Amino acid sequence: SSELTQDPAVSVALGQTVRITCQGDNLVTSYVSWYHQKPGQAPILVIYGKNIRPSGIPDRFSGSSSGNTASLTITGAQAEDEADYYCNSRDRSGNLLLFGGGTKLTVL
Amino acid sequence: QVRLVQSGAEVKKPGASVKVSCKASGYTFTTYYIHWVRQAPGQGLEWMGTIHPSGDSTTYAQNFQGRVTLTRDTSTSTAYMELSSLRSGDTAIYYCARDWELGHWGQGTLVTVSS
């Protein structure tokens, strides 16, 4: 199996744009899903597949990928976006799921 | 609407087993994989394994091989996760989630392992 690497913490000024990244060798061939999680709550899917937002997720959330790095971009970050963000993807075999270690986003 | 409702909190002693349930509603249970993910206090998400309810096929993360068993009851649309030989490091919130995108999550079940 392989690993997914995320920066532990990122900050952004209110209303600005922030990118949260996820690196892994398997990302060259696998889609990444992104989740946010607030304290005491279950994670919520915000992006999956080729930049698909589930119903109810604001369009300020977008996903992209280049080589072995996937990114979640929040364009015009809001106070309610402050949360932990996790990426995941299938491993090379397609049979296992891998999670990144998570990124704590602070909105200043 | 899709709902995954999990069983309540558990307190177990080291060496014991725990079985957590996840009751699905709002969709055809046998259509989508159910995954299990855990989160230790203050830590990140850890994938444990998955089961496809239609054929009962399972895949487990290497870290849990031999200790976790995933099952399902199609008559009640319920998935189960049983973890054996519990130790203090297994204290965590255990979540079930639907399909490979994990688009729908249960509310989580706190399992505390303490002597």
mmCIF file with all atom_site columns, all heavy atoms in Angstrom, chain B residues 41-61:
data_model
loop_
_atom_site.group_PDB
_atom_site.id
_atom_site.type_symbol
_atom_site.label_atom_id
_atom_site.label_alt_id
_atom_site.label_comp_id
_atom_site.label_asym_id
_atom_site.label_entity_id
_atom_site.label_seq_id
_atom_site.pdbx_PDB_ins_code
_atom_site.Cartn_x
_atom_site.Cartn_y
_atom_site.Cartn_z
_atom_site.occupancy
_atom_site.B_iso_or_equiv
_atom_site.pdbx_formal_charge
_atom_site.auth_seq_id
_atom_site.auth_comp_id
_atom_site.auth_asym_id
_atom_site.auth_atom_id
_atom_site.pdbx_PDB_model_num
ATOM 1   N N   . PRO B 1 41 ? -9.126  9.427   19.795 1.00 0.00 ? 41 PRO B N   1
ATOM 2   C CA  . PRO B 1 41 ? -9.239  10.788  20.333 1.00 0.00 ? 41 PRO B CA  1
ATOM 3   C C   . PRO B 1 41 ? -8.128  11.702  19.829 1.00 0.00 ? 41 PRO B C   1
ATOM 4   O O   . PRO B 1 41 ? -6.944  11.383  19.960 1.00 0.00 ? 41 PRO B O   1
ATOM 5   C CB  . PRO B 1 41 ? -9.143  10.575  21.844 1.00 0.00 ? 41 PRO B CB  1
ATOM 6   C CG  . PRO B 1 41 ? -9.627  9.186   22.057 1.00 0.00 ? 41 PRO B CG  1
ATOM 7   C CD  . PRO B 1 41 ? -9.173  8.407   20.867 1.00 0.00 ? 41 PRO B CD  1
ATOM 8   N N   . GLY B 1 42 ? -8.509  12.813  19.214 1.00 0.00 ? 42 GLY B N   1
ATOM 9   C CA  . GLY B 1 42 ? -7.544  13.786  18.727 1.00 0.00 ? 42 GLY B CA  1
ATOM 10  C C   . GLY B 1 42 ? -6.741  13.353  17.519 1.00 0.00 ? 42 GLY B C   1
ATOM 11  O O   . GLY B 1 42 ? -5.791  14.045  17.122 1.00 0.00 ? 42 GLY B O   1
ATOM 12  N N   . GLN B 1 43 ? -7.112  12.227  16.920 1.00 0.00 ? 43 GLN B N   1
ATOM 13  C CA  . GLN B 1 43 ? -6.348  11.679  15.800 1.00 0.00 ? 43 GLN B CA  1
ATOM 14  C C   . GLN B 1 43 ? -7.146  11.747  14.496 1.00 0.00 ? 43 GLN B C   1
ATOM 15  O O   . GLN B 1 43 ? -8.294  12.205  14.474 1.00 0.00 ? 43 GLN B O   1
ATOM 16  C CB  . GLN B 1 43 ? -5.962  10.235  16.092 1.00 0.00 ? 43 GLN B CB  1
ATOM 17  C CG  . GLN B 1 43 ? -5.128  10.062  17.354 1.00 0.00 ? 43 GLN B CG  1
ATOM 18  C CD  . GLN B 1 43 ? -3.831  10.830  17.297 1.00 0.00 ? 43 GLN B CD  1
ATOM 19  O OE1 . GLN B 1 43 ? -3.051  10.709  16.359 1.00 0.00 ? 43 GLN B OE1 1
ATOM 20  N NE2 . GLN B 1 43 ? -3.586  11.655  18.310 1.00 0.00 ? 43 GLN B NE2 1
ATOM 21  N N   . GLY B 1 44 ? -6.519  11.254  13.425 1.00 0.00 ? 44 GLY B N   1
ATOM 22  C CA  . GLY B 1 44 ? -7.153  11.281  12.122 1.00 0.00 ? 44 GLY B CA  1
ATOM 23  C C   . GLY B 1 44 ? -8.042  10.078  11.863 1.00 0.00 ? 44 GLY B C   1
ATOM 24  O O   . GLY B 1 44 ? -8.290  9.252   12.748 1.00 0.00 ? 44 GLY B O   1
ATOM 25  N N   . LEU B 1 45 ? -8.494  9.981   10.627 1.00 0.00 ? 45 LEU B N   1
ATOM 26  C CA  . LEU B 1 45 ? -9.389  8.905   10.219 1.00 0.00 ? 45 LEU B CA  1
ATOM 27  C C   . LEU B 1 45 ? -8.577  7.699   9.761  1.00 0.00 ? 45 LEU B C   1
ATOM 28  O O   . LEU B 1 45 ? -7.560  7.852   9.072  1.00 0.00 ? 45 LEU B O   1
ATOM 29  C CB  . LEU B 1 45 ? -10.289 9.387   9.077  1.00 0.00 ? 45 LEU B CB  1
ATOM 30  C CG  . LEU B 1 45 ? -11.151 10.608  9.392  1.00 0.00 ? 45 LEU B CG  1
ATOM 31  C CD1 . LEU B 1 45 ? -11.869 11.082  8.133  1.00 0.00 ? 45 LEU B CD1 1
ATOM 32  C CD2 . LEU B 1 45 ? -12.144 10.302  10.491 1.00 0.00 ? 45 LEU B CD2 1
ATOM 33  N N   . GLU B 1 46 ? -9.049  6.521   10.115 1.00 0.00 ? 46 GLU B N   1
ATOM 34  C CA  . GLU B 1 46 ? -8.355  5.274   9.771  1.00 0.00 ? 46 GLU B CA  1
ATOM 35  C C   . GLU B 1 46 ? -9.360  4.297   9.195  1.00 0.00 ? 46 GLU B C   1
ATOM 36  O O   . GLU B 1 46 ? -10.329 3.918   9.852  1.00 0.00 ? 46 GLU B O   1
ATOM 37  C CB  . GLU B 1 46 ? -7.684  4.692   11.013 1.00 0.00 ? 46 GLU B CB  1
ATOM 38  C CG  . GLU B 1 46 ? -6.880  3.430   10.743 1.00 0.00 ? 46 GLU B CG  1
ATOM 39  C CD  . GLU B 1 46 ? -6.187  2.903   11.987 1.00 0.00 ? 46 GLU B CD  1
ATOM 40  O OE1 . GLU B 1 46 ? -6.612  3.235   13.106 1.00 0.00 ? 46 GLU B OE1 1
ATOM 41  O OE2 . GLU B 1 46 ? -5.207  2.151   11.835 1.00 0.00 ? 46 GLU B OE2 1
ATOM 42  N N   . TRP B 1 47 ? -9.129  3.873   7.957  1.00 0.00 ? 47 TRP B N   1
ATOM 43  C CA  . TRP B 1 47 ? -10.022 2.923   7.302  1.00 0.00 ? 47 TRP B CA  1
ATOM 44  C C   . TRP B 1 47 ? -9.787  1.518   7.832  1.00 0.00 ? 47 TRP B C   1
ATOM 45  O O   . TRP B 1 47 ? -8.634  1.078   7.946  1.00 0.00 ? 47 TRP B O   1
ATOM 46  C CB  . TRP B 1 47 ? -9.782  2.955   5.801  1.00 0.00 ? 47 TRP B CB  1
ATOM 47  C CG  . TRP B 1 47 ? -10.671 2.079   4.993  1.00 0.00 ? 47 TRP B CG  1
ATOM 48  C CD1 . TRP B 1 47 ? -11.984 2.291   4.685  1.00 0.00 ? 47 TRP B CD1 1
ATOM 49  C CD2 . TRP B 1 47 ? -10.310 0.848   4.353  1.00 0.00 ? 47 TRP B CD2 1
ATOM 50  N NE1 . TRP B 1 47 ? -12.459 1.264   3.898  1.00 0.00 ? 47 TRP B NE1 1
ATOM 51  C CE2 . TRP B 1 47 ? -11.453 0.374   3.676  1.00 0.00 ? 47 TRP B CE2 1
ATOM 52  C CE3 . TRP B 1 47 ? -9.133  0.101   4.284  1.00 0.00 ? 47 TRP B CE3 1
ATOM 53  C CZ2 . TRP B 1 47 ? -11.459 -0.818  2.942  1.00 0.00 ? 47 TRP B CZ2 1
ATOM 54  C CZ3 . TRP B 1 47 ? -9.126  -1.073  3.548  1.00 0.00 ? 47 TRP B CZ3 1
ATOM 55  C CH2 . TRP B 1 47 ? -10.286 -1.529  2.899  1.00 0.00 ? 47 TRP B CH2 1
ATOM 56  N N   . MET B 1 48 ? -10.872 0.828   8.139  1.00 0.00 ? 48 MET B N   1
ATOM 57  C CA  . MET B 1 48 ? -10.761 -0.515  8.711  1.00 0.00 ? 48 MET B CA  1
ATOM 58  C C   . MET B 1 48 ? -11.086 -1.612  7.713  1.00 0.00 ? 48 MET B C   1
ATOM 59  O O   . MET B 1 48 ? -10.503 -2.694  7.749  1.00 0.00 ? 48 MET B O   1
ATOM 60  C CB  . MET B 1 48 ? -11.707 -0.643  9.913  1.00 0.00 ? 48 MET B CB  1
ATOM 61  C CG  . MET B 1 48 ? -11.433 0.342   11.027 1.00 0.00 ? 48 MET B CG  1
ATOM 62  S SD  . MET B 1 48 ? -12.593 0.162   12.376 1.00 0.00 ? 48 MET B SD  1
ATOM 63  C CE  . MET B 1 48 ? -12.099 -1.450  13.034 1.00 0.00 ? 48 MET B CE  1
ATOM 64  N N   . GLY B 1 49 ? -12.058 -1.358  6.849  1.00 0.00 ? 49 GLY B N   1
ATOM 65  C CA  . GLY B 1 49 ? -12.447 -2.396  5.919  1.00 0.00 ? 49 GLY B CA  1
ATOM 66  C C   . GLY B 1 49 ? -13.805 -2.098  5.313  1.00 0.00 ? 49 GLY B C   1
ATOM 67  O O   . GLY B 1 49 ? -14.440 -1.087  5.623  1.00 0.00 ? 49 GLY B O   1
ATOM 68  N N   . THR B 1 50 ? -14.232 -3.000  4.430  1.00 0.00 ? 50 THR B N   1
ATOM 69  C CA  . THR B 1 50 ? -15.485 -2.803  3.730  1.00 0.00 ? 50 THR B CA  1
ATOM 70  C C   . THR B 1 50 ? -16.183 -4.130  3.465  1.00 0.00 ? 50 THR B C   1
ATOM 71  O O   . THR B 1 50 ? -15.545 -5.180  3.405  1.00 0.00 ? 50 THR B O   1
ATOM 72  C CB  . THR B 1 50 ? -15.267 -2.048  2.410  1.00 0.00 ? 50 THR B CB  1
ATOM 73  O OG1 . THR B 1 50 ? -16.529 -1.735  1.822  1.00 0.00 ? 50 THR B OG1 1
ATOM 74  C CG2 . THR B 1 50 ? -14.453 -2.869  1.412  1.00 0.00 ? 50 THR B CG2 1
ATOM 75  N N   . ILE B 1 51 ? -17.498 -4.056  3.329  1.00 0.00 ? 51 ILE B N   1
ATOM 76  C CA  . ILE B 1 51 ? -18.306 -5.225  3.001  1.00 0.00 ? 51 ILE B CA  1
ATOM 77  C C   . ILE B 1 51 ? -19.320 -4.830  1.942  1.00 0.00 ? 51 ILE B C   1
ATOM 78  O O   . ILE B 1 51 ? -19.860 -3.710  1.974  1.00 0.00 ? 51 ILE B O   1
ATOM 79  C CB  . ILE B 1 51 ? -19.016 -5.789  4.255  1.00 0.00 ? 51 ILE B CB  1
ATOM 80  C CG1 . ILE B 1 51 ? -19.808 -7.051  3.916  1.00 0.00 ? 51 ILE B CG1 1
ATOM 81  C CG2 . ILE B 1 51 ? -19.917 -4.744  4.921  1.00 0.00 ? 51 ILE B CG2 1
ATOM 82  C CD1 . ILE B 1 51 ? -20.295 -7.826  5.136  1.00 0.00 ? 51 ILE B CD1 1
ATOM 83  N N   . HIS B 1 52 ? -19.537 -5.744  0.979  1.00 0.00 ? 52 HIS B N   1
ATOM 84  C CA  . HIS B 1 52 ? -20.613 -5.506  0.037  1.00 0.00 ? 52 HIS B CA  1
ATOM 85  C C   . HIS B 1 52 ? -21.808 -6.323  0.478  1.00 0.00 ? 52 HIS B C   1
ATOM 86  O O   . HIS B 1 52 ? -21.733 -7.559  0.501  1.00 0.00 ? 52 HIS B O   1
ATOM 87  C CB  . HIS B 1 52 ? -20.225 -5.876  -1.390 1.00 0.00 ? 52 HIS B CB  1
ATOM 88  C CG  . HIS B 1 52 ? -21.127 -5.240  -2.389 1.00 0.00 ? 52 HIS B CG  1
ATOM 89  N ND1 . HIS B 1 52 ? -22.435 -5.642  -2.564 1.00 0.00 ? 52 HIS B ND1 1
ATOM 90  C CD2 . HIS B 1 52 ? -20.944 -4.209  -3.239 1.00 0.00 ? 52 HIS B CD2 1
ATOM 91  C CE1 . HIS B 1 52 ? -23.017 -4.884  -3.467 1.00 0.00 ? 52 HIS B CE1 1
ATOM 92  N NE2 . HIS B 1 52 ? -22.128 -4.013  -3.907 1.00 0.00 ? 52 HIS B NE2 1
ATOM 93  N N   . PRO B 1 53 ? -22.899 -5.684  0.834  1.00 0.00 ? 53 PRO B N   1
ATOM 94  C CA  . PRO B 1 53 ? -24.027 -6.402  1.423  1.00 0.00 ? 53 PRO B CA  1
ATOM 95  C C   . PRO B 1 53 ? -24.675 -7.451  0.536  1.00 0.00 ? 53 PRO B C   1
ATOM 96  O O   . PRO B 1 53 ? -25.300 -8.378  1.041  1.00 0.00 ? 53 PRO B O   1
ATOM 97  C CB  . PRO B 1 53 ? -25.024 -5.280  1.759  1.00 0.00 ? 53 PRO B CB  1
ATOM 98  C CG  . PRO B 1 53 ? -24.189 -4.058  1.901  1.00 0.00 ? 53 PRO B CG  1
ATOM 99  C CD  . PRO B 1 53 ? -23.105 -4.227  0.879  1.00 0.00 ? 53 PRO B CD  1
ATOM 100 N N   . SER B 1 54 ? -24.527 -7.349  -0.785 1.00 0.00 ? 54 SER B N   1
ATOM 101 C CA  . SER B 1 54 ? -25.240 -8.304  -1.633 1.00 0.00 ? 54 SER B CA  1
ATOM 102 C C   . SER B 1 54 ? -24.603 -9.674  -1.574 1.00 0.00 ? 54 SER B C   1
ATOM 103 O O   . SER B 1 54 ? -25.292 -10.679 -1.433 1.00 0.00 ? 54 SER B O   1
ATOM 104 C CB  . SER B 1 54 ? -25.280 -7.806  -3.071 1.00 0.00 ? 54 SER B CB  1
ATOM 105 O OG  . SER B 1 54 ? -23.991 -7.822  -3.633 1.00 0.00 ? 54 SER B OG  1
ATOM 106 N N   . GLY B 1 55 ? -23.278 -9.737  -1.644 1.00 0.00 ? 55 GLY B N   1
ATOM 107 C CA  . GLY B 1 55 ? -22.611 -11.028 -1.692 1.00 0.00 ? 55 GLY B CA  1
ATOM 108 C C   . GLY B 1 55 ? -21.764 -11.331 -0.480 1.00 0.00 ? 55 GLY B C   1
ATOM 109 O O   . GLY B 1 55 ? -21.132 -12.369 -0.406 1.00 0.00 ? 55 GLY B O   1
ATOM 110 N N   . ASP B 1 56 ? -21.747 -10.403 0.478  1.00 0.00 ? 56 ASP B N   1
ATOM 111 C CA  . ASP B 1 56 ? -21.011 -10.611 1.727  1.00 0.00 ? 56 ASP B CA  1
ATOM 112 C C   . ASP B 1 56 ? -19.499 -10.591 1.532  1.00 0.00 ? 56 ASP B C   1
ATOM 113 O O   . ASP B 1 56 ? -18.751 -11.012 2.402  1.00 0.00 ? 56 ASP B O   1
ATOM 114 C CB  . ASP B 1 56 ? -21.424 -11.949 2.375  1.00 0.00 ? 56 ASP B CB  1
ATOM 115 C CG  . ASP B 1 56 ? -21.145 -11.976 3.863  1.00 0.00 ? 56 ASP B CG  1
ATOM 116 O OD1 . ASP B 1 56 ? -21.021 -10.892 4.457  1.00 0.00 ? 56 ASP B OD1 1
ATOM 117 O OD2 . ASP B 1 56 ? -21.027 -13.077 4.430  1.00 0.00 ? 56 ASP B OD2 1
ATOM 118 N N   . SER B 1 57 ? -18.998 -10.102 0.392  1.00 0.00 ? 57 SER B N   1
ATOM 119 C CA  . SER B 1 57 ? -17.543 -10.038 0.215  1.00 0.00 ? 57 SER B CA  1
ATOM 120 C C   . SER B 1 57 ? -16.970 -8.961  1.109  1.00 0.00 ? 57 SER B C   1
ATOM 121 O O   . SER B 1 57 ? -17.582 -7.902  1.298  1.00 0.00 ? 57 SER B O   1
ATOM 122 C CB  . SER B 1 57 ? -17.190 -9.749  -1.242 1.00 0.00 ? 57 SER B CB  1
ATOM 123 O OG  . SER B 1 57 ? -17.618 -8.463  -1.607 1.00 0.00 ? 57 SER B OG  1
ATOM 124 N N   . THR B 1 58 ? -15.795 -9.242  1.660  1.00 0.00 ? 58 THR B N   1
ATOM 125 C CA  . THR B 1 58 ? -15.174 -8.308  2.587  1.00 0.00 ? 58 THR B CA  1
ATOM 126 C C   . THR B 1 58 ? -13.715 -8.058  2.214  1.00 0.00 ? 58 THR B C   1
ATOM 127 O O   . THR B 1 58 ? -13.058 -8.931  1.629  1.00 0.00 ? 58 THR B O   1
ATOM 128 C CB  . THR B 1 58 ? -15.217 -8.837  4.029  1.00 0.00 ? 58 THR B CB  1
ATOM 129 O OG1 . THR B 1 58 ? -14.608 -10.136 4.064  1.00 0.00 ? 58 THR B OG1 1
ATOM 130 C CG2 . THR B 1 58 ? -16.637 -8.925  4.562  1.00 0.00 ? 58 THR B CG2 1
ATOM 131 N N   . THR B 1 59 ? -13.230 -6.879  2.561  1.00 0.00 ? 59 THR B N   1
ATOM 132 C CA  . THR B 1 59 ? -11.822 -6.542  2.458  1.00 0.00 ? 59 THR B CA  1
ATOM 133 C C   . THR B 1 59 ? -11.442 -5.798  3.719  1.00 0.00 ? 59 THR B C   1
ATOM 134 O O   . THR B 1 59 ? -12.174 -4.905  4.153  1.00 0.00 ? 59 THR B O   1
ATOM 135 C CB  . THR B 1 59 ? -11.528 -5.649  1.238  1.00 0.00 ? 59 THR B CB  1
ATOM 136 O OG1 . THR B 1 59 ? -11.987 -6.303  0.057  1.00 0.00 ? 59 THR B OG1 1
ATOM 137 C CG2 . THR B 1 59 ? -10.039 -5.370  1.122  1.00 0.00 ? 59 THR B CG2 1
ATOM 138 N N   . TYR B 1 60 ? -10.309 -6.178  4.302  1.00 0.00 ? 60 TYR B N   1
ATOM 139 C CA  . TYR B 1 60 ? -9.878  -5.579  5.560  1.00 0.00 ? 60 TYR B CA  1
ATOM 140 C C   . TYR B 1 60 ? -8.540  -4.872  5.392  1.00 0.00 ? 60 TYR B C   1
ATOM 141 O O   . TYR B 1 60 ? -7.665  -5.324  4.652  1.00 0.00 ? 60 TYR B O   1
ATOM 142 C CB  . TYR B 1 60 ? -9.747  -6.657  6.638  1.00 0.00 ? 60 TYR B CB  1
ATOM 143 C CG  . TYR B 1 60 ? -11.032 -7.400  6.925  1.00 0.00 ? 60 TYR B CG  1
ATOM 144 C CD1 . TYR B 1 60 ? -11.130 -8.772  6.714  1.00 0.00 ? 60 TYR B CD1 1
ATOM 145 C CD2 . TYR B 1 60 ? -12.149 -6.730  7.408  1.00 0.00 ? 60 TYR B CD2 1
ATOM 146 C CE1 . TYR B 1 60 ? -12.304 -9.459  6.978  1.00 0.00 ? 60 TYR B CE1 1
ATOM 147 C CE2 . TYR B 1 60 ? -13.332 -7.402  7.680  1.00 0.00 ? 60 TYR B CE2 1
ATOM 148 C CZ  . TYR B 1 60 ? -13.400 -8.762  7.462  1.00 0.00 ? 60 TYR B CZ  1
ATOM 149 O OH  . TYR B 1 60 ? -14.573 -9.436  7.727  1.00 0.00 ? 60 TYR B OH  1
ATOM 150 N N   . ALA B 1 61 ? -8.386  -3.779  6.119  1.00 0.00 ? 61 ALA B N   1
ATOM 151 C CA  . ALA B 1 61 ? -7.098  -3.116  6.175  1.00 0.00 ? 61 ALA B CA  1
ATOM 152 C C   . ALA B 1 61 ? -6.091  -4.021  6.883  1.00 0.00 ? 61 ALA B C   1
ATOM 153 O O   . ALA B 1 61 ? -6.448  -4.762  7.808  1.00 0.00 ? 61 ALA B O   1
ATOM 154 C CB  . ALA B 1 61 ? -7.217  -1.789  6.920  1.00 0.00 ? 61 ALA B CB  1
#
